Amino acid sequence: MTDEMNPQTGEFPPVLPGFEQGSTKKGEPGFVEAATLRMINKLEADGWITAHHAGPCALAIVTARRVDSSEGRGAPSGQANLLRAMKEIFELLPAPENASSDALDKALEFMTATEPAPVEGTPA
């Protein structure tokens, strides 16, 4: 028996009590998927995500959905691999806090690397 959703009915196969699907209601995103969607929407609204980020965004949403649906099911090693994949996908998305500190570092490096112009009337 598989734990994959039936694409024709949109339903998961029956499971034993205690092993039910983790999302709240059918058709609603689970906790991880909802948080991922909020993050992507915020990054898009702030201009950090553009059309060329569509692939990593889709992967992040699909992986988050998979994390939600596999909650409490499957082997721990499978869960660990899925979470590792999700972490790697998130690393593909822009990180504004890293970008802003990189820009500041570059500006500071430029300001400290250039020698000030000599001022007339002062010894060299």
Side-chain angles (χ1 to χ4, degrees):
M1 180 177 265
T2 178
D3 65 345
E4 297 293 321
M5 181 178 70
N6 182 332
Q8 296 172 340
T9 63
E11 296 177 358
F12 286 86
V15 294
L16 295 171
F19 293 95
E20 294 88 2
Q21 189 177 354
S23 86
T24 53
K25 292 181 182 176
K26 185 177 177 181
E28 288 185 8
F31 176 77
V32 178
E33 182 181 356
T36 301
L37 288 168
R38 280 194 308 272
M39 177 191 70
I40 289 172
N41 290 337
K42 174 71 172 137
L43 288 171
E44 187 174 23
D46 291 347
W48 289 99
I49 289 183
T50 59
H52 73 279
H53 295 105
C57 288
L59 280 172
I61 293 166
V62 168
T63 307
R65 187 173 299 147
R66 190 80 173 153
V67 167
D68 284 332
S69 69
S70 67
E71 187 177 300
R73 297 177 8 194
S77 61
Q79 292 283 337
N81 288 335
L82 186 57
L83 293 172
R84 186 179 308 112
M86 184 158 204
K87 176 188 172 291
E88 291 172 3
I89 292 166
F90 282 154
E91 289 172 351
L92 295 173
L93 298 175
E97 61 279 357
N98 292 344
S100 61
S101 67
D102 287 346
L104 178 61
D105 289 343
K106 287 179 184 176
L108 289 173
E109 182 181 323
F110 174 77
M111 290 189 295
T112 57
T114 58
E115 294 183 24
V119 178
E120 287 184 37
T122 60

